Amino acid sequence: MTTEERVDRLVRDADPGGLGVVGDLAGVKQALLEEIMSESLVRRAVGMPRRRLWVRRFAGVVTAAAVLVSVVPVSVVVRGQAEGGGVSPIVSAGAGVVFSPLAMEAAQRNPRLLIDRAGWTVAALYGFAEEQGMVRFRRGGRELEMNWYPAYVYADRYSGQLVDGPAKSVRVDGWPADLFQSLSGDFTVLLRPRDNVVVEMKTSGNWSRKDVDRVLADIVRVDARTWLAVLPAEMVMPVRERAARVLVDVSLPPGFDVAALDEIGVSDSYQFGVGVMSRVGCGWIAEWQRARASGDEAGVRRAVEALRGSRGWRVLRDMDRVGDWPEVFWEYADEVAAGTVRPGYVEGLGCR
């Protein structure tokens, strides 16, 4: 297959069914061809030593099509044949891609580890802008969860694992680590502190030691822009654009600050929904309290009606299929409608 034929395939995959979601596909194809044929771009791809471009198959976390839709323009360098004979692209953010300063800052603090093997996808991500967080990768019936914490928790995490048996030394992309196996058969890999961060990986599903070793050998540490570029399309969408979709049928409390949502940062759809809707719920409860205290009966009615209508908001209905947070939201909404609300709503909704 020629380079141009490979690019044709990437472009077709980026717009299955000819829906036009990528825009000018002819222009995308031409840009890809120019970048693939540019030796200087090949040398700069991903910001890694050149050896990685030829010895790794970076098809793992997200397909080229998904990235084309979400973070155009990108640099796509075809590196030969992936398993099964398909094209194996390496995707990195091109010079024209702009990530928010908050996302870049958080990515710099994040361990930025990815599984460099086809079939692994990001199933969940939260805590991206915090000092601790989690990203979960999934392939078939197996999952690998990577949690990161401040480095000072390392001693406690290590001693806590010893109850199941002694540690076995392993390495993750040159990073020293220890492997533990629980009595239930699950594995934990605890990486030594680095850059003030400690990473703890946990398996779930049917894993053997051989499976663990194989995946550990495929984990790579990347730069911040590459990490952001390979996340699923929705996660790297600009926060305000993403929030507009979430809030399309949501009644907003007075003074709601959409710009403040930028601090939520990169996260999966459920956690992003929690971040947005906690601010909505807390805002309406605060407005209800203000209206009651000032004798503003119309304001009280507006707040009650808004919260009562929350059971019809699409974002909460979608989240309710995944987790219980919307049920907590609706409990407090019902209390407001009944004329009272527990002080615990501040913690329950995560009011800031």
Side-chain angles (χ1 to χ4, degrees), residues 213-232:
D213 289 340
R214 183 182 299 115
V215 170
L216 292 182
D218 288 327
I219 294 175
V220 295
R221 191 172 192 241
V222 299
D223 60 73
R225 289 178 62 80
T226 300
W227 166 262
L228 292 171
V230 301
L231 289 175

Side-chain angles (χ1 to χ4, degrees), residues 133-305:
M134 180 277 291
V135 58
R136 183 182 305 122
F137 296 93
R138 179 179 298 150
R139 186 186 190 198
R142 292 180 183 152
E143 292 185 340
L144 181 67
E145 184 173 296
M146 299 184 186
N147 296 274
W148 63 90
Y149 308 94
Y152 64 78
V153 308
Y154 175 77
D156 286 341
R157 307 302 296 185
Y158 185 91
S159 61
Q161 293 297 329
L162 289 175
V163 298
D164 288 329
K168 298 177 181 178
S169 295
V170 294
R171 298 184 79 84
V172 179
D173 198 17
W175 194 339
D178 294 286
L179 174 69
F180 305 86
Q181 185 172 13
S182 69
L183 297 178
S184 64
D186 291 331
F187 294 90
T188 297
V189 179
L190 186 64
L191 280 66
R192 310 283 173 83
R194 175 176 175 176
D195 297 335
N196 296 315
V197 173
V198 58
V199 179
E200 184 179 75
M201 304 179 184
K202 291 184 174 294
T203 67
S204 61
N206 183 24
W207 289 74
S208 67
R209 172 62 193 273
K210 183 178 180 180
D211 295 327
V212 174
D213 289 340
R214 183 182 299 115
V215 170
L216 292 182
D218 288 327
I219 294 175
V220 295
R221 191 172 192 241
V222 299
D223 60 73
R225 289 178 62 80
T226 300
W227 166 262
L228 292 171
V230 301
L231 289 175
E234 184 180 32
M235 295 186 192
V236 296
M237 184 184 298
V239 170
R240 296 186 198 184
E241 178 183 345
R242 191 176 182 186
R245 299 186 181 191
V246 167
L247 297 171
V248 64
D249 62 346
V250 174
S251 300
L252 299 180
F256 187 81
D257 185 8
V258 176
L261 300 178
D262 286 343
E263 67 186 42
I264 298 175
V266 179
S267 57
D268 60 52
S269 59
Y270 187 88
Q271 296 300 327
F272 187 80
V274 170
V276 172
M277 298 310 296
S278 68
R279 289 161 173 79
V280 172
C282 296
W284 274 122
I285 294 176
E287 171 64 8
W288 175 76
Q289 292 173 326
R290 180 209 63 78
R292 277 171 54 98
S294 63
D296 180 2
E297 294 184 3
V300 170
R301 286 196 300 272
R302 281 195 299 272
V304 168
E305 289 170 2

